Amino acid sequence: MAQWTSAVGAAQLARQLQAQQQRPAGPGSRRPPAYRALADGIRLLVLEGRVAVAARLPAERELALALAVSRTTVAAAYEALRAEGFLESRRGAGSWTAVPAGNPLPARGLEPLPPEALGSMIDLGCASLPAPEPWLTRAVQGALEELPPYAHTHGDYPAGLPALRQMIADRYTADGIPTMPEQIMVTTGAMGAIDAICHLFAGRGERIAVESPSYANILQLMREAGARLVPVAMEEGLGGWDLNRWRQVLRDAAPRLGYVVADFHNPTGALADEERRRALVDAARSAGTVLVVDETMRELHLDEDVAMPRPVCAFDPAGSTVLTVGSASKAFWAGMRIGWVRAAPDVIRSLVAARAYADMGTPVLEQLAVNWLMRTGGWQEAVRLRREQARENRDALVAAVRRELPEWEFSVPAGGLTLWVRTGGLSGSRLAVAGEGVGVRVPSGPRFGVDGAFEGYVRLPFTVGGPVADEAAQRLAQAARLVGAGGGAGVEAPRTFVA
């Protein structure tokens, strides 16, 4: 019986491997033999989680043709991987990926580190901040006081608590976008909202246009749903959407959905202006594409002089073309798993009807807590604290990276939680592996692309500041030196850091 549970095609694997070689390894690096470079590339894909463990690899001849190398090179690479424990083979069953005994399985997304690892590892993988106290405690206390009437009911509200739906609708109306509670569905976080939308609108094999780069966990969610992702390249720096490319993709590929982050884009931090928002909505409407607009970063404008454009749904107030997704996770706290969808009433009814087969509703106590925050003004105060903390962290991290890694390039965004960094010719995947060895966890650029794009980038979130930001930059610089010298294995154990 075969030991593999999935398969990766020769063309797909070749694209991912070739993307690793698009940028040089850095000054002073040693060029390994071809078979060693191929083995290292496959190993990195496994360690990054971009090729699954127990995935059947192409036959030697197929991969050699796809890479335009000799079959001997592929055979030697496979043999090296077998010797290192990253490949297993059996006659008649082929070869499949593995991890050596004692190695942790690679994470497919950007899961937070377990608390016990935080003493020795600086976590730059998860773009989330601690709760803005005392507002979390006050919100939970307020929710507990309002809970008794709901405790006498069944507790299942598939569309969300009526009071919270009304509250969210009123917030859109106050922003100049008339909204009824019938246009709102409360979900279990933004991920729950987008998962429900994908299952309703985009079945297996359907095309979804996505920004390139885009939010890694959403890309993985869509892949797991069986979608065919169509990347649309963004402009360099903080330019945001390239409307000519979007129009071409919408016209030629006719995707069922388009996923965009217009407000402080994750990972680049770009903020789309009103002209681009209006034009993209018009293009999507003409193509028959439904736009899923992720607004989870919208309230995190960090600079005082930021002029916020109107939400994308302002150009489709009925909600037939634009489905807006919001969340408490980024603006308030990731542990508050409350999200919502704003759409046309008939879309909301369809989402609610389909939800019964996934989950019956969102936790009542957390909904009451968010409603309490929005009703009492606590939300505005908590978001103000969140902006202050993110601004201080951003400025500290920017200064530290510029000091320790002056060859790295980035544009400083006016909001959001992430810095998108070009790594001066170094492999982002290799930096991620080396970083784990020296005590800093950072996601590499290819996690935010499709089929291995952005190898020369990493994403740095504004989650650490002060001395921790300085230490994080120093550890990144150490990882960069290891990668630049062709190393990365056998590095010293990270020292414990106490903020």
Side-chain angles (χ1 to χ4, degrees), residues 402-495:
R402 282 177 171 165
R403 181 178 64 252
E404 300 292 336
L405 293 150
E407 67 278 13
W408 287 16
E409 304 170 33
F410 52 85
S411 299
V412 182
L417 288 172
T418 56
L419 198 66
W420 186 236
V421 181
R422 191 193 299 267
T423 55
L426 299 178
S427 161
S429 297
R430 287 175 168 81
L431 279 167
V433 173
E436 294 253 356
V438 298
V440 60
R441 183 173 183 258
V442 57
S444 67
R447 288 195 176 277
F448 304 89
V450 176
D451 282 343
F454 307 109
E455 185 61 51
Y457 290 82
V458 294
R459 189 195 73 172
L460 305 180
F462 310 144
T463 52
V464 296
V468 186
D470 294 336
E471 179 71 13
Q474 291 168 15
R475 295 185 186 186
L476 284 172
Q478 184 181 356
R481 288 191 294 270
L482 287 165
V483 173
V491 296
E492 67 181 31
R495 58 192 182 280

Side-chain angles (χ1 to χ4, degrees), residues 127-129 263-265 269 271 295-303 306 308 327-333 379 382-391 394 413-418 462:
S128 299
L129 290 165
D263 302 291
F264 310 118
H265 175 261
L271 176 65
E295 283 190 342
T296 53
M297 297 282 191
R298 180 169 175 80
E299 296 193 65
L300 294 178
H301 42 89
L302 306 183
D303 294 338
V306 177
M308 289 299 296
S327 172
S329 296
K330 296 299 185 185
F332 185 73
W333 183 49
W379 179 270
V383 170
R384 181 182 60 78
L385 292 174
R386 171 66 74 241
R387 290 183 189 132
E388 290 177 359
Q389 185 178 12
R391 184 187 307 116
R394 178 197 63 181
L417 288 172
T418 56
F462 310 144

Side-chain angles (χ1 to χ4, degrees), residues 92-117:
S95 299
W96 57 92
T97 57
V99 291
N103 278 39
L105 287 175
R108 295 299 299 273
L110 301 178
E111 294 84 358
L113 281 175
E116 61 270 18

Side-chain angles (χ1 to χ4, degrees), residues 59-232:
E60 294 170 1
R61 187 185 302 276
E62 293 176 2
L63 186 57
L65 287 172
L67 290 172
V69 300
S70 71
R71 183 177 177 181
T72 302
T73 297
V74 178
Y78 278 15
E79 181 58 35
L81 289 169
R82 276 190 288 269
E84 296 164 1
F86 284 94
L87 196 68
E88 296 181 12
S89 303
R90 193 172 67 202
R91 184 179 298 276
S95 299
W96 57 92
T97 57
V99 291
N103 278 39
L105 287 175
R108 295 299 299 273
L110 301 178
E111 294 84 358
L113 281 175
E116 61 270 18
L118 294 177
S120 60
M121 184 75 69
I122 298 176
D123 186 8
L124 297 181
C126 189
S128 299
L129 290 165
E133 289 288 28
W135 294 105
L136 174 61
T137 299
R138 292 180 182 177
V140 173
Q141 290 172 342
L144 286 171
E145 293 175 0
E146 298 175 6
L147 181 62
Y150 295 93
H152 294 294
T153 73
H154 48 65
D156 290 333
Y157 297 87
L161 292 184
L164 182 55
R165 296 176 73 195
Q166 182 69 62
M167 181 64 66
I168 295 170
D170 290 347
R171 285 167 56 84
Y172 281 106
T173 300
D175 273 347
I177 309 160
T179 302
M180 304 178 294
E182 291 79 9
Q183 290 179 263
I184 303 294
M185 181 177 83
V186 181
T187 62
T188 307
M191 293 285 287
I194 294 171
D195 182 58
I197 291 170
C198 287
H199 279 88
L200 181 63
F201 283 91
R204 300 194 69 84
E206 291 278 5
R207 295 185 180 91
I208 301 179
V210 295
E211 298 150 327
S212 182
S214 188
Y215 179 36
N217 287 337
I218 293 297
L219 295 181
Q220 189 59 36
L221 181 154
M222 292 174 175
R223 292 187 189 102
E224 297 289 345
R228 298 165 61 189
L229 302 184
V230 183
V232 187

Side-chain angles (χ1 to χ4, degrees), residues 7 16 19 26 46 70 74 177 276 351 396 398 424 460 485:
Q16 292 178 295
V46 173
S70 71
V74 178
I177 309 160
R276 282 183 170 90
L351 287 170
V398 165
L460 305 180

